[in-house]
Amino acid sequence: MKKSLVLAMAMALGVTASAYAANPFSDVPAGHWAYDSIDKLAAAGVIEGMGDGSYQGDRTMTRYEMAQIVAKAMAKGCNVDKLAAEFSDELDALGVRVAKLEKKADNLVITGQVRYDYESGHGADVKVRTNKLRSRLFLNGQINEDWAYYARLQNDDDLNDGAKSDAFDMNQVAISGRIGGLSVKAGRFDQFLGNGNFYDDTMEMIEVAYGKKVNVAAFYGQDTENGDEKDELWGVKASTKLGVVGINADYIQGKDDNTGEKRKVASATVQLPVVKNVDLAATYIKSNKEADSEENGYVVGLSYKGASASEVGSWGLWANYYDQGDLTYYAHTMNGGLCDKFDNDDSQGFKGYGVGASYTLAKNIVYSLEWYDFEGKKGDEKARTLYSRVQFTF
């Protein structure tokens, strides 16, 4: 299946895979560019692989095979009108009726997301109460069979200050494709390191990846966390799967543009199923030693199932324990949690726990509720946060 079709169909289906979901196919490593989309489509029953535990993503697919996938997606309620129009003849042969659709529609797929976030938190000397509305539009286009285009438009509205909301900003844009046996991606897009416990944010970079059973990627660029004060970053990451156990290793080195100081961080993550529908993830992070700093950290978590946007009534639970020195997090994946309280000039690291639950209220409407309880590793600083979200996808 073409790259844009994998991504577009997964987004149109609106499913959400567990962060610790087991890999359904032996030849799609956790670090592969299409891993999340393939995992979502398999979980939704749209794709089934080759019957021997493999996916064989590089194999040429016939139009009839593609039509079968489109038919399954339509049965799941996925909006695939353009694909249905393109494969209308084959779908008719399969007994799937397609009416009033234009064939050969343009190759730009637009999907969206709107979410409302509420956060209430407090520490020893700070209180936080936020109401935010965020809207996103995702654009996916096919350049040719090997190259694709992606962009994200975002609008953030702080409902507390009563000010007029910001205009839509194109905060991500990327070109991805293949050069020989290499997967290449360049632009401004998400980077995910240390299972998100060290870095989970937008980075301006070029990333080159190679391999199937063992996927290795190298990247070079700069973070976008601090606006004009951008730190130069480069790193490597690798992922593989041993039976049911997923293993990820990441390394990143950064240089502060203001001080010239280097920051080196390495992490290792192990993910595995414990019992049916329950997955364990453990991440260890180590950074270079600096004066009055703590360079080690770890996060251990359990997750149960997960809310799928396409399945009304589906739900999930998770719980994490965090013990992170001040050099082991940069752009953390957690929601709320008053992380910034522990990330300042007197950075001290933090330890504590987070728990959360999610539930699909209606098709493409998911509600989640999270609680964080932290304390500083140096001193008696504390932070407790209640975070809730309702998210709509379309």
Side-chain angles (χ1 to χ4, degrees):
M1 190 186 301
K2 292 182 180 180
K3 295 178 181 179
S4 64
L5 300 184
V6 174
L7 298 172
M9 191 175 293
M11 294 179 71
L13 193 59
V15 295
T16 303
S18 167
Y20 311 122
N23 188 346
F25 302 116
S26 60
D27 56 348
V28 183
H32 192 275
W33 65 265
Y35 176 84
D36 289 340
S37 297
I38 291 173
D39 184 35
K40 293 172 183 178
L41 292 171
V46 176
I47 58 177
E48 300 177 352
M50 302 306 296
D52 60 355
S54 68
Y55 182 64
Q56 297 184 23
D58 293 328
R59 170 182 166 275
T60 301
M61 180 179 291
T62 68
R63 289 181 63 88
Y64 285 103
E65 289 174 324
M66 185 62 207
Q68 288 180 320
I69 291 177
V70 174
K72 290 180 181 179
M74 293 173 66
K76 296 287 183 179
C78 179
N79 183 7
V80 289
D81 288 351
K82 294 177 182 178
L83 290 175
E86 172 65 23
F87 293 92
S88 60
D89 293 340
E90 288 80 7
L91 289 168
D92 286 342
L94 292 172
V96 180
R97 178 174 294 180
V98 181
K100 297 181 181 180
L101 294 175
E102 295 183 1
K103 297 185 67 173
K104 298 294 184 181
D106 65 75
N107 65 345
L108 181 65
V109 178
I110 301 176
T111 56
Q113 176 194 94
V114 177
R115 78 182 197 192
Y116 167 74
D117 294 340
Y118 172 79
E119 178 182 358
S120 177
H122 67 276
D125 56 0
V126 63
K127 291 185 178 181
V128 173
R129 181 162 294 172
T130 61
N131 290 274
K132 293 183 178 180
L133 186 66
R134 189 187 77 181
S135 302
R136 282 177 171 176
L137 292 176
F138 305 93
L139 286 70
N140 288 274
Q142 192 71 13
I143 299 172
N144 55 42
E145 289 193 358
D146 292 322
W147 289 84
Y149 167 85
Y150 161 80
R152 186 180 76 185
L153 298 170
Q154 181 168 313
N155 165 267
D156 293 287
D157 193 354
D158 189 339
L159 303 179
N160 283 346
D161 60 17
K164 184 178 179 180
S165 63
D166 296 332
F168 271 92
D169 174 41
M170 185 175 287
N171 57 13
Q172 290 192 359
V173 59
I175 300 294
S176 62
R178 297 191 68 84
I179 300 177
L182 299 176
S183 297
V184 180
K185 191 172 185 179
R188 189 186 309 121
F189 52 96
D190 285 329
Q191 184 60 273
F192 191 78
L193 303 168
N195 206 28
N197 296 302
F198 172 70
Y199 196 101
D200 181 11
D201 205 354
T202 301
M203 188 183 291
E204 295 176 350
M205 60 181 159
I206 181 170
E207 181 174 286
V208 179
Y210 178 80
K212 294 182 179 179
K213 291 185 177 180
V214 178
N215 184 266
V216 179
F219 59 89
Y220 173 81
Q222 53 189 7
D223 80 280
T224 61
E225 176 84 354
N226 298 317
D228 294 333
E229 299 177 2
K230 297 177 179 179
D231 299 337
E232 180 183 2
L233 300 166
W234 68 269
V236 294
K237 53 186 183 179
S239 61
T240 189
K241 194 172 182 66
L242 301 176
V244 297
V245 181
I247 301 174
N248 294 74
D250 305 317
Y251 174 83
I252 187 170
Q253 179 172 310
K255 184 175 71 173
D256 190 304
D257 282 349
N258 295 321
T259 66
E261 294 181 354
K262 291 183 178 180
R263 189 178 191 182
K264 304 175 182 178
V265 182
S267 68
T269 300
V270 176
Q271 304 173 359
L272 70 157
V274 181
V275 295
K276 184 179 180 180
N277 297 322
V278 177
D279 298 305
L280 169 71
T283 300
Y284 175 74
I285 308 171
K286 182 174 178 59
S287 180
N288 57 308
K289 180 69 175 177
E290 295 180 4
D292 300 322
S293 66
E294 186 171 349
E295 76 277 20
N296 297 319
Y298 67 91
V299 180
V300 179
L302 289 171
S303 63
Y304 176 76
K305 290 187 175 180
S308 169
S310 62
E311 185 180 348
V312 179
S314 61
W315 57 281
L317 299 171
W318 64 267
N320 288 341
Y321 180 78
Y322 308 84
D323 189 328
Q324 295 193 240
D326 51 296
L327 297 180
T328 65
Y329 56 98
Y330 190 82
H332 209 288
T333 197
M334 71 175 66
N335 296 314
L338 289 177
C339 265
D340 289 341
K341 181 176 179 58
F342 300 114
D343 192 12
N344 50 42
D345 293 338
D346 299 319
S347 185
Q348 56 179 305
F350 65 93
K351 61 182 178 180
Y353 68 92
V355 294
S358 58
Y359 182 81
T360 303
L361 301 172
K363 186 176 180 180
N364 296 330
I365 304 176
V366 177
Y367 176 76
S368 57
L369 182 66
E370 303 171 2
W371 169 258
Y372 299 92
D373 192 332
F374 295 137
E375 63 180 35
K377 292 175 67 67
K378 302 173 185 176
D380 58 357
E381 293 287 344
K382 296 182 182 296
R384 296 183 176 90
T385 305
L386 179 67
Y387 189 94
S388 64
R389 169 184 297 169
V390 59
Q391 180 165 293
F392 307 82
T393 57
F394 56 91

